[in-house]
Amino acid sequence: MARLLLIEDDLTIRTPLIRALRERGHAVAAASTAMAGLRDALDDRPDLVVLDLGLPDLDGRELLRMLRAVSSVPVIVATARDDEAEIVRVLDAGADDYVVKPFTAAQLDARARAVLRRGASGAGAQDRSLVVGELRIDPRARQVTLAGTPVELTPREFDLLHHLAGRPGQVVTKRELLTEVWQIPYGGADKTVDVHLSWLRRKLGESAQEPRYLHTVRGVGVRLEAPGVRR
């Protein structure tokens, strides 16, 4: 059963569509405005979003850009705009698929299942263990070991380390960490990142003054790499 979020302001479309999709085995939540939809997408983490473009408070394409800044959730755009240029724009903005109104629940269900299958086929890479030096991060078990010894991390510390380990040797900005790990699209305090990095360093047996894995790049961000890498 997939968890769908339908962002659609037209009650005559929303109500029967919710009923039909639930009859097809999906769990469906709905929002009637862009900002309510953004909040629900971040809070509830649906498997897929169905997004109407003609929303009362914000154009759907703008909401799509906001979603893409903070989430990789699959998005199917539902639109009455059937010109090719508009379709290309929504796909370039980050949509995974689109349906042109009017459409049936059966058609939307088929497209949703196809998008979710594509996402599942690429999910294996996200489940693979990451190894950096003697650090091993297992995302499925959410466990970390250092030289074979378990490292006890909070959920946020694990997410932070996992994000950095997926980009070994790269400088990751604090803005990216706030967006991807904390799911804060706008604003936010760099101090939040600094504090969690400090806790993470302590658990890895290092410090900012004597780093082994976590290297601060002043004014830019942080880089995770195995000890002994020469630069």
Side-chain angles (χ1 to χ4, degrees):
M1 179 176 65
R3 294 176 300 112
L4 309 184
L5 172 61
L6 174 63
I7 307 176
E8 167 65 66
D9 67 313
D10 189 333
L11 189 62
T12 63
I13 295 175
R14 189 172 69 242
T15 300
L17 196 54
I18 291 172
R19 183 173 58 249
L21 290 171
R22 285 175 176 168
E23 289 173 353
R24 286 168 168 77
H26 301 295
V28 185
S32 59
T33 66
M35 298 315 295
L38 179 63
R39 182 195 62 228
D40 291 348
L42 296 181
D43 290 347
D44 300 337
R45 304 291 184 89
D47 298 314
L48 184 139
V49 172
V50 180
L51 172 62
D52 175 33
L53 292 185
L55 297 169
D57 56 335
L58 199 66
D59 185 80
R61 251 193 306 136
E62 183 60 29
L63 175 57
L64 178 59
R65 281 191 286 269
M66 294 168 68
L67 265 176
R68 279 293 165 260
V70 296
S71 174
S72 59
V73 62
V75 176
I76 297 177
V77 164
T79 177
R81 309 169 193 175
D82 60 355
D83 64 289
E84 183 178 358
E86 179 67 12
I87 291 168
V88 169
R89 280 194 290 268
V90 299
L91 292 173
D92 284 344
D96 295 271
D97 200 354
Y98 67 92
V99 288
V100 176
K101 295 178 179 179
F103 55 84
T104 66
Q107 181 184 1
L108 180 59
D109 176 47
R111 287 181 178 271
R113 286 185 283 106
V115 168
L116 291 169
R117 279 198 304 272
R118 291 200 299 269
S121 68
Q126 299 296 323
D127 291 338
R128 295 193 195 106
S129 292
L130 301 175
V131 178
V132 181
E134 293 184 305
L135 261 179
R136 177 178 289 273
I137 299 100
D138 181 350
R140 297 190 70 179
R142 293 185 68 84
Q143 293 178 344
V144 174
T145 58
L146 177 59
T149 301
V151 180
E152 296 298 325
L153 301 180
T154 66
R156 189 71 78 189
E157 290 166 352
F158 179 90
D159 291 341
L160 174 59
L161 183 62
H162 182 251
H163 188 83
L164 293 170
R167 297 149 183 78
Q170 299 178 26
V171 178
V172 180
T173 66
K174 293 179 182 179
R175 165 51 43 212
E176 178 180 336
L177 292 172
L178 283 168
T179 298
E180 297 295 331
V181 178
W182 274 265
Q183 301 289 304
I184 301 175
Y186 306 108
D190 289 355
K191 190 67 175 175
T192 299
V193 179
D194 293 335
V195 169
H196 281 79
L197 284 171
S198 175
W199 292 341
L200 192 52
R201 283 190 173 101
R202 191 180 312 142
K203 292 182 178 182
L204 296 180
E206 60 182 73
S207 66
Q209 293 71 36
E210 297 183 4
R212 296 183 65 240
Y213 285 91
L214 294 165
H215 301 264
T216 297
V217 180
R218 190 175 299 277
V220 183
V222 63
R223 182 181 69 246
L224 176 72
E225 65 185 12
V229 175
R230 294 187 176 183
R231 290 192 168 271

